């Protein structure tokens, strides 16, 4: 009797649970039935728009009233997940502590010898992958970024947030469609936590540096920048393009993330290739860098051959975010021609600060009689290629500076001084410190302690750089 009653009770509970499960399943199916018909006809994300008239948007000097117009300061933020974002943030914070004098005015007094900081002199920030989060947020918010970027991004478990977004039933359905990928979903998440609907048009009204977010055009293996330089040949409107999608493309590591796709509208606007590009294509001197740069842009001029552009992590083509800006400069006949084109002829100091979050991976195979397996070989090959390419990129910058210096001595204009500062873990003298920072994972989720140490070491490496000390001394500034 007791057994019978217990069984009846258990069966009743089981039936109740089954009923609830059926209700939940029915509601989920009903939701899908409502959502599915709408999927093909609605845009889950903003697609790049076409334009009829190309706007020539040149890099402008910052509107800070006391900035030195004889300084051109370029920052390059590398890839490396939150590790790179935190290191870049630390450099911005450190630059904001370096006080600079300004030519005195009638209102100056001896008690106020410093008017602004070296951070106020930054003109351009070029970035890839993890560094693009910091670059875009600073370009959009200026110094206000220091109020909440740590909590909004650096301390946040971004990986966890992305995973939860993917596991949402509605998002699972969206991801099953051909027109929506994991990077599109990531862009929505980044917009929610950082960019809040901002587009590149919003940047043009800001008194902040010009930002050059780089991705990789995976179809041709070339770097692609979210600037008019790349959008104009495609007759595409950069002003209305969401910053979150540019950052998502720049950080779309192949595999975990899908590509971000742009539509090519080439031929539908009044775009005319610049003279240097037409000449380089006509001469076809494959040993010259201007032909290499022209060939990059030329791929976007025929939508029949390239109707769409598929973009992935910028670190695939250039993990230091230097190649893009250098290509623009070299393609325009060198630095002097670029300064003249952009109305920066008063420039007398050109400064590059490269934030390199590259990590050195140590392996034990030199002590083993058996070599690594295929997966290990692929991983090491990838990291080795990035390390080698990074060195070649920095070397290209140094050789370019030498060439620009020679060109600058041939004219009547005052000579230009050049500075190249690299902030990387290899600069640390302490071996244990180098090993510690090189062991930090390339992830979008790091412990708060690691983030804080990355921010601190960025400023320390910058301040201890002899080249940076020379720069600040020449500017009459003060390192704290």
């Amino acid at each position: 009797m007791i057994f019978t009653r217990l069984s009846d009770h258990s069966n009743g509970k089981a039936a109740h649970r089954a009923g609830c499960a059926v209700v939940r399943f029915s509601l989920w199916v009903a939701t899908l039935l409502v959502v599915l018909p709408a999927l093909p006809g609605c845009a889950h994300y903003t697609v790049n728009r076409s334009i009829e008239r190309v706007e020539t948007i040149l890099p402008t000097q910052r509107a800070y009233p006391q900035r030195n117009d004889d300084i051109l300061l370029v920052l390059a933020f590398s890839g490396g997940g939150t590790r790179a974002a935190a290191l870049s943030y630390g450099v911005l914070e450190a630059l904001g502590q370096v006080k600079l004098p300004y030519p005195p005015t009638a209102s100056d007094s001896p008690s106020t010898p410093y008017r602004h900081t070296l951070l106020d002199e930054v003109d351009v920030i070029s970035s890839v992958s993890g560094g693009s989060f910091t670059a875009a947020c600073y370009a959009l918010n200026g110094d206000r970024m220091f109020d909440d970027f740590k909590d909004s991004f650096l301390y946040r478990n971004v990986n966890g947030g992305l995973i939860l977004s993917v596991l949402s039933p509605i998002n699972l359905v969206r991801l099953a469609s051909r027109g929506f990928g994991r990077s599109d979903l990531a862009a929505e998440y980044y917009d929610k936590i950082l960019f809040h609907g901002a587009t590149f048009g919003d940047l043009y009204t800001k008194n902040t540096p010009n930002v050059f977010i780089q991705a990789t055009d995976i179809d041709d293996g070339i770097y692609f920048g979210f600037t008019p330089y790349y959008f104009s040949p495609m007759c595409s409107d950069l002003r209305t393009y969401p910053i979150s999608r540019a950052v998502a493309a720049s950080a779309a590591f192949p595999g975990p993330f899908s590509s971000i796709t742009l539509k090519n509208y080439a031929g539908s606007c009044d775009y005319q290739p610049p003279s240097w590009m037409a000449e380089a294509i006509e001469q076809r001197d494959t040993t010259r860098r201007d032909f290499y740069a022209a060939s990059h842009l030329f791929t976007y001029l025929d939508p029949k051959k390239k109707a769409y552009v598929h973009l992935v992590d910028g670190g695939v083509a250039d993990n230091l975010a230097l190649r893009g800006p250098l290509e623009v400069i070299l393609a325009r006949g060198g630095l002097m021609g670029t300064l003249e084109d952009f109305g920066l002829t008063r420039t007398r100091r050109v400064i590059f600060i490269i934030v390199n979050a590259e990590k050195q991976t140590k392996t034990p195979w030199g002590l083993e009689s058996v070599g690594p397996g295929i997966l290990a070989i692929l991983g090491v090959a990838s990291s080795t290629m990035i390390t080698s390419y990074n060195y070649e990129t920095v070397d290209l910058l140094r050789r370019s500076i030498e060439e620009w210096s020679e060109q600058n001595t041939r004219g009547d204009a005052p000579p230009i001084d050049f500075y190249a500062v690299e902030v990387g873990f290899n600069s640390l003298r302490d071996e244990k410190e180098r090993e510690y920072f090189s062991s930090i994972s390339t992830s979008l989720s790091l412990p708060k302690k690691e983030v804080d140490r990355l921010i601190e070491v960025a400023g320390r490496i910058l301040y201890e750089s002899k080249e940076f000390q020379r720069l600040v001394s020449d500017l009459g500034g003060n390192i704290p």
Side-chain angles (χ1 to χ4, degrees):
M1 186 74 119
I2 296 177
F3 176 76
T4 303
R5 289 177 180 174
L6 287 175
S7 298
D8 292 342
H9 182 68
S10 298
N11 291 337
K13 292 177 66 177
H16 177 72
R17 287 196 298 269
C20 290
V22 169
V23 171
R24 286 196 297 268
F25 180 78
S26 300
L27 289 174
W28 189 74
V29 170
T31 302
L32 295 185
L33 291 175
V34 171
V35 173
L36 279 171
L39 289 177
C42 85
H44 302 299
Y45 53 91
T46 305
V47 179
N48 60 305
R49 302 175 184 174
S50 63
I51 52 174
E52 296 181 357
R53 181 174 296 278
V54 172
E55 292 185 75
T56 303
I57 306 171
L58 299 177
T60 57
Q61 295 292 330
R62 291 190 61 184
Y64 186 80
Q66 274 81 40
R67 75 175 307 281
N68 289 305
D69 57 6
D70 63 345
I71 293 176
L72 177 62
L73 175 52
V74 179
L75 303 181
F77 292 167
S78 82
T82 299
R83 184 182 69 249
L87 200 69
S88 301
Y89 178 91
V91 166
L92 291 177
E93 194 172 66
L95 291 174
Q97 300 298 318
V98 178
K99 297 179 180 180
L100 296 180
Y102 192 78
T105 64
S107 61
D108 288 334
S109 67
S111 61
T112 57
Y114 294 102
R115 299 285 297 279
H116 64 302
T117 71
L118 192 52
L119 182 59
D120 296 317
E121 297 290 349
V122 177
D123 296 286
V124 178
I125 304 179
S126 178
S127 65
V128 297
S129 198
S132 292
F133 292 96
T134 308
C137 283
Y138 183 69
L140 186 63
N141 301 304
D143 292 346
R144 290 188 295 108
M145 183 194 74
F146 298 115
D147 296 334
D148 56 14
F149 186 65
K150 289 181 182 179
D151 291 325
S152 298
F153 183 77
L154 296 179
Y155 294 156
R156 182 189 292 269
N157 183 358
V158 176
N159 280 347
L162 290 171
I163 292 172
L164 288 176
S165 295
V166 168
L167 294 179
S168 163
I170 292 180
N171 286 337
L172 286 173
V173 175
R174 299 169 77 199
L175 290 169
S177 66
R178 289 191 59 187
F180 192 83
R182 294 180 299 280
S183 288
D184 300 310
L185 188 61
E188 291 183 355
Y189 180 72
Y190 302 152
D191 192 70
K192 176 182 177 182
I193 65 173
L194 290 174
F195 303 112
H196 312 297
T199 66
F200 281 87
D202 295 318
L203 295 179
Y204 299 147
T205 62
K206 304 288 184 179
N207 298 334
T208 54
N210 297 277
V211 64
F212 181 38
I213 298 172
Q214 285 186 237
T216 300
D217 180 344
I218 199 62
D219 300 307
D220 294 306
I222 56 180
Y223 33 83
F224 179 96
F226 285 86
T227 69
Y229 180 82
Y230 288 88
F231 267 61
S232 294
M234 297 193 301
C235 294
S236 186
D237 185 10
L238 180 63
R239 286 182 178 272
T240 58
Y241 198 76
I243 296 173
S244 59
R245 286 186 64 77
V247 173
S250 183
F253 188 79
F257 295 96
S258 59
S259 62
I260 289 284
T261 300
L262 302 177
K263 184 174 175 57
N264 189 358
Y265 303 98
S268 64
C269 67
D270 61 346
Y271 176 79
Q272 295 295 324
S275 57
W276 68 266
M277 178 180 169
E279 292 172 3
I281 295 296
E282 177 67 25
Q283 295 173 1
R284 298 202 67 80
D285 185 348
T286 57
T287 64
R288 290 179 57 86
R289 189 165 291 277
D290 57 354
F291 173 76
Y292 185 66
S295 299
H296 279 193
L297 285 182
F298 196 75
T299 63
Y300 303 110
L301 294 182
D302 189 353
K304 293 182 179 179
K305 293 181 179 179
K306 199 168 194 174
Y308 296 92
V309 179
H310 304 289
L311 303 175
V312 297
D313 195 304
V316 174
D318 174 20
N319 200 48
L320 287 185
L322 264 180
R323 293 266 173 175
L326 284 177
E327 182 177 284
V328 173
I329 293 173
L330 296 173
R332 291 177 176 270
L335 182 68
M336 305 311 158
T338 304
L339 294 177
E340 184 175 346
D341 288 346
F342 292 161
L344 304 175
T345 54
R346 298 182 62 180
T347 300
R348 292 296 169 260
R349 301 184 195 275
V350 176
I351 308 153
F352 290 89
I353 298 179
I354 305 110
V355 183
N356 184 3
E358 168 191 291
K359 56 184 295 186
Q360 301 294 328
T361 303
K362 289 189 175 183
T363 63
W365 296 311
L367 302 175
E368 301 288 341
S369 60
V370 179
I374 183 63
L375 293 179
I377 290 175
L378 290 174
V380 173
S382 175
S383 62
T384 300
M385 285 189 292
I386 289 176
T387 300
S388 300
Y389 199 59
N390 284 353
Y391 171 79
E392 295 298 332
T393 300
V394 174
D395 187 58
L396 172 63
L397 173 62
R398 297 191 187 281
R399 285 187 282 112
S400 299
I401 287 176
E402 291 176 2
E403 182 179 338
W404 298 336
S405 298
E406 292 177 1
Q407 293 175 351
N408 187 232
T409 58
R410 297 172 187 169
D412 298 330
I416 295 178
D417 292 323
F418 296 92
Y419 307 82
V421 181
E422 185 175 2
V423 177
F425 303 136
N426 281 338
S427 300
L428 294 169
R429 297 182 181 276
D430 186 273
E431 183 178 358
K432 289 185 178 180
E433 267 203 312
R434 290 198 303 273
E435 291 180 353
Y436 169 78
F437 287 107
S438 290
S439 69
I440 295 178
S441 67
T442 303
S443 169
L444 289 178
S445 176
L446 293 178
K448 182 176 181 293
K449 179 181 179 181
E450 288 187 352
V451 170
D452 289 339
R453 289 196 65 178
L454 284 163
I455 294 172
E456 183 275 331
V457 80
R460 181 151 48 92
I461 294 173
L462 180 68
Y463 291 165
E464 291 177 355
S465 165
K466 298 297 183 183
E467 184 77 344
F468 185 74
Q469 292 173 6
R470 178 174 76 90
L471 165 66
V472 176
S473 176
D474 290 350
L475 293 176
N478 177 36
I479 296 177

